[in-house]
Amino acid sequence: MGVTDVVWSEQGTTPDAIEAALRQLLVEVHAQDESLVPARVLNMIAFVDREWTGEIANRLRGVGRYHASRMLVLAYESGRERLDARVTISTEHDAAPGELALLRETVVVELGEKHLDDLVTIADPLMVTDLPTLLWSPHGHQDIVGELLSLSQAVLVDSVDEPVAADALQRAWSLKDQAYVVDLAWLRSTPWRERVASSFDPPARRPDLRSITSVEIRHHPASQVSAMLYAGWLASRLGWQTDALVAANNSLSGIARDDTREVRLCLRRAPELQVRGLEGVTIQTASGRSLSLDRGAGGLRAISREPDGAEHQWTIPGASRGETGVLGEGIRQALLRDPTYVPALGAARAMAA
Amino acid sequence: MAATAAQRGLDEVENPLTAGLERLPVAPTTLVIFGATGDLAKRKLLPALYNLAHDGALPERFHLVGVSRKTKEHEEYREECEAAIRRFSRRKPDEAVLEGLLSNVKYVPGTFDDESVYGELSSVLDGFEQEAGEPLNRAFYLSTAPSFFPVIVDCLGTSDLNHHKGGEVRLIIEKPFGTTLEEARELNRRVLAKFDESQVFRIDHYLGKETVQNMMAFRFANGMFEPLWNRNFIDSVQITASEDLGIGSRADYYDSAGALRDLIQNHMLQLLCHVAMEPPVSFTSEEVRNEKVKVLQAIPEPAAQDIADMAVRAQYVAGQAGGDDVIGYLEEEGVPEDSNTETYAALRLEVDNWRWAGVPFYLRTGKRLARKVTEIAVTLKPVPHLAFSQEGSLGVQPNQLVLTLQPNEGVSLRLGAKIPGTRMIIRPVNMEFLYGTAFLSQSPEAYERLITDAMRGDATLFTRNDEVEAQWRICDPIVSAWTAEPGPLPTYVAGSQGPKEAEGLLREGDHWRAI
């Protein structure tokens, strides 16, 4: 993982032994090089299927500086009787002269059915006290998530992983009262939210927000939830009431309403899109003005059409974060609080009803 | 220049889409850099613009115009921009993003006093707006030698580029803002004759540093420090900004500036303000700057007869740095052999107000000192009575709170603790907090933050006209006294803690912290 890797492992171990080994390793590493200090930002628990541990490790390797300061991977294997553990302490970079390098701790504990009833007592001693904890269960195991929520302040989900959008939204909704929900499906839409917010921000454009007549959101076929959350965000921020959307051809469509007007909503599949998330957004206003944003090389391709028919095209620069970037952002968001997600989720649920 | 009633009405329509966003919108803007081929533009401004583009943080419509004396075509300037970004960006450029950024770059050649340059500039700006179909905000960044600032400002005014129908016009001015109080006043007069103060953004890049902004969070978001933050509990404050390097290739600039003008007049007085200011009513630009100005106004203007007792200057001579022999200041390339420019300056200032009366503020800065460090050390008063013997102790020392800005940003609190054993023996220990260990995010470069804030019209991290003049009011008498005094200056060995004369500034019982 990094330039300094110190490893300890033991078969048939206990949480106490793992915790003692962690403490000892940290003391030894710091004694050897005072510029190496432990990061103390965030605990993260990942409950994963053991056979996919390598894939999860690969995904986490890509998040770089957003790696949790202590990462506990609970690797589940059916039929396993023994608790085995491996501790790795690493740095991402060597310390420059006179500067510090941060140590990250990764603990992989392999366990089986017999340990599930006592999972909290296995995980709890391995968390750094007083740090917030983010819980992630990328392979399902919702019952286990319920168990471990008592140790966590935030839970990482990816609503596009669920095959049925309504189930995904319901799942996130049910978690929101127990922990802060960080939804990667929501984070994939962040640049789109920023750009539309920015497009309507000049004072002369703000009144247009009250005269939007239609919104089309184009999305990866597996990212319908992201499109619903995006539409839910617009609805919740602009005070629209949303009803269930209706499926037709490759899209979902419906009507949102405020006190004075109706807004046509269309969530259209974009089979050509290779990556999860949104492909484009088009917003039209009553005056005849429209704004389209679409993925393009080096940023979003923007097209605005004025009521008089004049058209302008330009590129809004921005680099793609990729899926590892989205995951890293998800980990970072565990330390923040976005007050707009839950209202957007609520509006999206109404569309998926 | 003032907003019309209709504009104010539109401003009042809120944008509910910005709630919850970490990055607030920046209005469509064309940025014009005067001095576009200079060192600052290449090393800082262009890389900052690229990184903003990479992060999707530039305005949705963004154009860059470079203005400089050298004749060249747009394409040649784009190639120079590309080379600078590739060399100095904090991250490897994404090719598509870089290409997109560069496609919106144009170049206008000419001397800054040539009116035709401003006519051509105006045409380029209008062209961008015709293409966009709407007026764009305009930001003029003066990254030239300071002597050109008034010339450019005048020409912008006479060319009617200081206002723009349907868009905002902003003027960003690099340091130094004058080299004396008189120059600063004159420059303010020239600037404010053409621009409203709300349009002017005077750069002090220290204010863009995350750790400087953190000082306000540290003081005003934590209840435990504020009750102690006054003359009743604080014994002294030391602010240090030391460099282990020499002047490098900056002899031209540095020899005309010196340590006092280079760092104390601007950056270090800003740090002092952050330590000493009262909590602002709100964190709006005006409220924060009002409080800082009050601090500066509370520092007495040095009287000529007191300067020798409250200010020390010195020059480094040959010594060792990083294990290598290094030359002295007078041997540096480009430095006159009889130069009296100080490479070290230290001051003792007082802040004469209810909170700080009697507490000395020690400021020191220098080149070729033992180590690179920027820190603020707040020393508390000793405990009034020690109930146990100090025999065998390494000394019960007053608590000291150290805010380190670089290289390892953090806060350290020195406490007395008992050495394990059967006797009550005390030694100082440190309770450390390091920003790097506690946050996942990487701090943006100061210029990324400052350029964004200027384009957004948020002046909180910029220096106001009265603030600049208040800073010069403190430093100007010292500059004058030092200019009038013949050399040679006191010296210090390169790689050392500084000149012994600096000890003379300290009150009895006070010590400079080891650099």
Side-chain angles (χ1 to χ4, degrees):
Chain A
M1 168 186 270
V3 293
T4 301
D5 277 358
V6 182
V7 178
W8 171 93
S9 65
E10 189 167 83
Q11 295 181 333
T13 190
T14 65
D16 280 353
I18 302 167
E19 199 271 337
L22 264 167
R23 260 188 291 123
Q24 184 59 29
L25 285 179
L26 284 170
V27 169
E28 287 173 9
V29 169
H30 184 66
Q32 285 169 13
D33 184 345
E34 285 189 349
S35 67
L36 300 176
V37 294
R40 285 294 174 256
V41 188
L42 179 72
N43 295 310
M44 184 169 173
I45 304 173
F47 189 90
V48 304
D49 290 332
R50 183 176 177 274
E51 60 186 315
W52 296 107
T53 309
E55 185 253 339
I56 294 301
N58 278 339
R59 289 180 68 182
L60 289 170
R61 196 171 289 127
V63 304
R65 67 175 182 273
Y66 296 134
H67 195 284
S69 31
R70 181 167 293 178
M71 180 80 213
L72 172 61
V73 180
L74 299 172
Y76 169 74
E77 182 181 31
S78 179
R80 169 174 280 275
E81 293 286 317
R82 199 178 61 199
L83 208 63
D84 294 346
R86 178 183 170 87
V87 174
T88 308
I89 296 184
S90 61
T91 59
E92 199 183 355
H93 304 290
D94 272 331
E99 298 200 359
L100 300 173
L102 298 182
L103 296 170
R104 281 92 171 258
E105 304 131 45
T106 302
V107 183
V108 179
V109 179
E110 296 181 351
L111 44 77
E113 285 95 342
K114 66 173 282 193
H115 304 108
L116 296 183
D117 287 343
D118 300 320
L119 211 47
V120 169
T121 62
I122 293 172
D124 195 9
L126 301 177
M127 299 290 91
V128 181
T129 310
D130 290 338
L131 289 189
T133 298
L134 173 67
L135 173 63
W136 185 35
S137 180
H139 303 136
H141 300 292
Q142 307 305 352
D143 49 337
I144 302 298
V145 170
E147 289 284 318
L148 292 172
L149 272 174
S150 63
L151 296 178
S152 315
Q153 288 72 47
V155 58
L156 184 68
V157 299
D158 191 348
S159 290
V160 303
D161 282 342
E162 297 257 6
V164 179
D167 292 349
L169 297 168
Q170 178 54 37
R171 169 89 189 125
W173 187 258
S174 68
L175 288 170
K176 74 173 176 49
D177 292 329
Q178 301 167 75
Y180 177 64
V181 179
V182 179
D183 191 342
L184 299 184
W186 170 252
L187 297 182
R188 287 190 192 92
S189 73
T190 303
W192 302 87
R193 284 182 277 123
E194 287 177 346
R195 283 310 173 187
V196 167
S198 181
S199 295
F200 287 94
D201 196 60
R205 287 280 163 84
R206 290 183 196 179
D208 286 350
L209 288 170
R210 303 290 171 210
S211 67
I212 291 174
T213 53
S214 77
V215 177
E216 180 182 275
I217 302 164
R218 299 172 286 282
H219 62 87
H220 181 275
S223 295
Q224 191 182 76
V225 173
S226 286
M228 283 182 158
L229 287 169
Y230 193 81
W233 168 70
L234 282 171
S236 60
R237 298 313 310 157
L238 297 174
W240 304 341
Q241 298 299 312
T242 50
D243 292 327
L245 302 179
V246 178
N249 299 323
N250 262 339
S251 64
L252 286 175
S253 56
I255 299 292
R257 295 175 179 81
D258 68 8
D259 294 341
T260 58
R261 67 173 46 81
E262 292 186 339
V263 181
R264 280 180 289 114
L265 299 178
C266 179
L267 279 50
R268 190 178 302 283
R269 286 168 180 250
E272 68 280 10
L273 184 60
Q274 301 295 310
V275 294
R276 289 174 162 191
L278 304 185
E279 201 273 337
V281 175
T282 300
I283 295 176
Q284 291 189 309
T285 67
S287 65
R289 178 175 287 139
S290 77
L291 172 72
S292 288
L293 300 174
D294 285 276
R295 279 178 191 263
L300 300 183
R301 189 75 192 138
I303 303 174
S304 75
R305 290 191 182 85
E306 300 301 317
D308 62 4
E311 182 178 295
H312 302 281
Q313 298 191 25
W314 70 101
T315 297
I316 304 170
S320 170
R321 295 171 294 172
E323 278 297 297
T324 51
V326 173
L327 178 59
E329 181 62 15
I331 296 170
R332 190 179 78 89
Q333 288 288 328
L335 300 167
L336 305 173
R337 293 295 178 264
D338 181 348
T340 61
Y341 171 69
V342 169
L345 180 63
R349 282 180 74 228
M351 288 182 239
Chain B
M1 278 170 272
T4 64
Q7 271 180 321
R8 280 198 299 275
L10 288 174
D11 283 336
E12 284 159 14
V13 177
E14 68 167 326
N15 176 2
L17 301 184
T18 58
L21 295 178
E22 277 189 78
R23 245 194 309 264
L24 293 172
V26 186
T29 300
T30 300
L31 178 69
V32 180
I33 301 178
F34 288 90
T37 56
D39 215 37
L40 181 74
K42 285 180 179 167
R43 286 175 180 273
K44 296 291 182 185
L45 305 185
L46 292 167
L49 290 171
Y50 169 75
N51 282 301
L52 290 171
H54 187 105
D55 289 335
L58 281 180
E60 66 165 28
R61 284 179 181 279
F62 178 79
H63 303 274
L64 174 66
V65 184
V67 182
S68 199
R69 270 178 307 178
K70 296 166 191 163
T71 303
K72 60 186 76 178
E73 297 298 318
H74 299 307
E75 193 51 44
E76 191 182 349
Y77 180 60
R78 285 186 199 117
E79 285 168 7
E80 286 182 16
C81 292
E82 180 183 343
I85 290 166
R86 288 191 189 284
R87 183 166 174 205
F88 297 113
S89 167
R90 67 181 163 91
R91 55 157 74 97
K92 187 173 182 289
D94 175 297
E95 296 301 324
V97 174
L98 181 56
E99 188 183 328
L101 177 68
L102 295 173
S103 68
N104 289 321
V105 173
K106 291 205 171 181
Y107 183 76
V108 175
T111 54
F112 301 131
D113 57 354
D114 180 354
E115 283 182 14
S116 69
V117 169
Y118 298 85
E120 191 180 340
L121 176 60
S122 188
S123 301
V124 171
L125 296 174
D126 290 344
F128 284 140
E129 297 183 6
Q130 277 166 15
E131 194 183 307
E134 62 183 349
L136 307 174
N137 286 354
R138 295 169 176 183
F140 299 107
Y141 197 123
L142 309 194
S143 172
T144 64
S147 55
F148 293 116
F149 293 168
V151 178
I152 296 169
V153 167
D154 286 348
C155 289
L156 288 171
T158 51
S159 310
D160 278 346
L161 285 167
N162 54 345
H163 58 91
H164 183 40
K165 191 177 177 188
E168 302 284 346
V169 177
R170 296 181 173 120
L171 182 72
I172 306 165
I173 306 179
E174 259 300 332
K175 77 157 196 173
F177 200 86
T179 60
T180 62
L181 175 61
E182 192 48 45
E183 276 187 32
R185 280 181 177 152
E186 173 61 13
L187 184 52
N188 268 333
R189 192 188 63 73
R190 298 272 290 266
V191 168
L192 297 177
K194 304 294 182 188
F195 290 85
D196 186 83
E197 176 62 28
S198 64
Q199 295 177 283
V200 183
F201 297 78
R202 297 172 190 82
I203 291 261
D204 181 335
H205 72 267
Y206 253 49
L207 295 178
K209 287 180 184 283
E210 200 73 23
T211 40
V212 175
Q213 296 163 53
N214 263 324
M215 285 175 60
M216 286 200 278
F218 178 81
R219 278 195 59 199
F220 303 131
N222 296 291
M224 66 186 289
F225 298 112
E226 202 54 24
L228 308 176
W229 214 254
N230 57 59
R231 65 188 303 273
N232 297 323
F233 295 93
I234 290 179
D235 194 59
S236 67
V237 177
Q238 262 185 43
I239 304 177
T240 301
S242 67
E243 292 274 354
D244 54 348
L245 299 176
I247 57 162
S249 58
R250 297 171 68 218
D252 266 1
Y253 161 73
Y254 198 86
D255 198 63
S256 63
L260 185 76
R261 287 185 177 113
D262 188 43
L263 270 162
I264 291 183
Q265 179 272 329
N266 36 59
H267 307 323
M268 297 186 73
L269 284 178
Q270 284 290 343
L271 296 183
L272 185 154
C273 288
H274 279 76
V275 174
M277 68 193 273
E278 295 297 317
V281 174
S282 67
F283 280 91
T284 60
S285 59
E286 289 310 298
E287 294 295 349
V288 170
R289 297 192 296 182
N290 285 346
E291 295 304 336
K292 288 197 292 178
V293 168
K294 283 183 201 168
V295 173
L296 295 167
Q297 287 170 340
I299 299 174
E301 184 176 326
Q305 67 273 18
D306 296 337
I307 286 171
D309 293 332
M310 52 82 68
V312 164
R313 60 175 170 162
Q315 257 179 9
Y316 63 82
V317 294
Q320 284 205 319
D324 292 329
D325 291 337
V326 293
I327 56 177
Y329 179 69
L330 295 180
E331 291 89 51
E332 297 275 12
E333 190 178 338
V335 173
E337 59 187 22
D338 59 347
S339 171
N340 272 338
T341 298
E342 77 283 0
T343 62
Y344 177 100
L347 307 184
R348 186 188 65 238
L349 299 176
E350 308 273 341
V351 179
D352 281 350
N353 62 18
W354 195 280
R355 188 189 280 261
W356 294 110
V359 178
F361 283 74
Y362 301 116
L363 278 59
R364 64 177 162 166
T365 182
K367 297 280 185 192
R368 280 274 185 243
L369 290 168
R371 200 161 64 92
K372 176 186 174 74
V373 66
T374 305
E375 65 171 29
I376 298 162
V378 178
T379 304
L380 275 73
K381 293 194 168 168
V383 292
H385 170 65
L386 211 53
F388 35 80
S389 158
Q390 288 197 56
E391 186 186 346
S393 295
L394 292 174
V396 178
Q397 297 175 15
N399 298 128
Q400 197 170 55
L401 185 71
V402 181
L403 296 102
T404 306
L405 280 75
Q406 58 180 358
N408 294 314
E409 299 96 325
V411 182
S412 164
L413 178 61
R414 187 174 69 194
L415 305 164
K418 178 183 172 297
I419 296 173
T422 55
R423 297 183 59 200
M424 182 60 89
I425 302 175
I426 309 294
R427 82 167 175 84
V429 294
N430 282 347
M431 193 161 76
E432 305 264 4
F433 162 68
L434 296 162
Y435 280 105
T437 65
F439 297 98
L440 292 172
S441 308
Q442 191 180 32
S443 299
E445 285 284 320
Y447 277 99
E448 292 171 33
R449 172 71 194 266
L450 293 172
I451 291 171
T452 309
D453 278 8
M455 288 194 293
R456 287 184 54 235
D458 181 347
T460 308
L461 301 181
F462 297 85
T463 316
R464 204 168 59 189
N465 56 348
D466 53 346
E467 209 174 345
V468 171
E469 291 182 18
Q471 289 171 339
W472 273 118
R473 186 186 59 82
I474 297 160
C475 292
D476 204 43
I478 304 169
V479 170
S480 302
W482 285 355
T483 306
E485 261 183 48
L489 272 57
T491 60
Y492 60 102
V493 176
S496 71
Q497 297 284 320
K500 63 180 187 313
E501 286 81 357
E503 300 294 326
L505 295 182
L506 300 173
R507 201 178 45 182
E508 189 177 344
D510 288 348
H511 305 279
W512 288 112
R513 277 172 55 81
I515 288 172

